[in-house]
């Protein structure tokens, strides 16, 4: 593989002839480059299926002849698997948000109250749409702050 064509985000794999014990077989994403080396993250197994190992290897640019371009393993995932993965991520995000609100009940209750009043208070409270939108925004930002801070 010519080394001039490799950039961050590209996917490569060791060729049959170029496999050595230092770089296990699999699909790697280029996550770093320098003048003399590439940093690679293992993102797919030998069959091209997505893996999450966190394994990182460094390869000298001179050794790139032992690699070939590879397909991104995320592209080959079935649509159902990708959708389920997104829902799983949402579930974990909501769980973490719930834990954050439980660990700080007063700011959490204030954030939820602001959000609910802003979203559903239009017919009940004599305030403008701008004020209600501001309450929704304020409640959302407070929830984001609590979620980013994490549970204590």
């Amino acid at each position: 593989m010519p080394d001039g064509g490799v950039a961050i985000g590209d996917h490569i794999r060791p060729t049959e002839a170029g496999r050595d014990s230092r770089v296990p077989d699999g699909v790697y994403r280029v996550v770093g480059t320098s003048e003399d080396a590439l940093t690679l993250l293992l993102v797919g197994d030998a069959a091209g299926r997505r893996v999450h190992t966190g394994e990182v290897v460094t390869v000298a640019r001179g050794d790139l002849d032992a690699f070939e371009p590879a397909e991104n393993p995320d592209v080959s995932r079935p649509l159902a698997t990708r959708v389920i993965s997104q829902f799983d991520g949402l579930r974990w995000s909501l769980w973490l948000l719930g834990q954050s609100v439980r660990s700080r009940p007063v700011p959490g209750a204030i954030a939820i109250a602001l959000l609910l009043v802003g979203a559903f208070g239009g017919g009940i409270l004599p305030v403008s749409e701008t004020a209600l939108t501001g309450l929704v925004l304020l409640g959302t930002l407070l929830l984001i702050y609590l979620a980013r801070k994490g549970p204590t």
Side-chain angles (χ1 to χ4, degrees):
M1 160 176 243
D3 113 25
V6 179
I8 290 179
D10 288 348
H11 292 83
I12 59 176
R13 70 173 45 233
T15 62
E16 285 291 326
R19 285 198 193 118
D20 65 14
S21 61
R22 198 174 67 75
V23 180
D25 192 19
V27 176
Y28 292 84
R29 178 176 292 127
V30 178
V31 293
T33 61
S34 70
E35 287 186 23
D36 24 322
L38 295 174
T39 304
L40 309 174
L41 173 68
L42 180 64
V43 295
D45 63 12
R49 290 182 303 266
R50 184 79 162 110
V51 295
H52 302 276
T53 65
E55 182 177 346
V56 176
V57 297
T58 302
V59 175
R61 283 197 180 262
D63 295 339
L64 281 180
D65 296 341
F67 289 85
E68 62 188 4
E71 185 177 330
N72 181 351
D74 292 332
V75 173
S76 62
R77 291 170 59 190
L79 177 62
T81 303
R82 287 184 281 174
V83 169
I84 289 170
S85 176
Q86 292 297 318
F87 280 123
D88 194 42
L90 178 63
R91 178 179 63 93
W92 280 109
S93 294
L94 290 174
W95 180 83
L96 182 60
L97 177 63
Q99 294 302 313
S100 298
V101 169
R102 282 183 62 203
S103 69
R104 289 186 237 21
V106 173
I110 291 170
I112 291 170
L114 288 171
L115 193 60
L116 290 175
V117 168
F120 303 110
I124 302 169
L125 299 175
V127 294
S128 69
E129 278 296 315
T130 306
L132 294 173
T133 302
L135 290 175
V136 168
L137 182 60
L138 189 60
T140 303
L141 290 174
L142 184 55
L143 282 175
I144 290 171
Y145 171 76
L146 290 173
R148 290 208 174 235
K149 197 164 184 182
T152 55

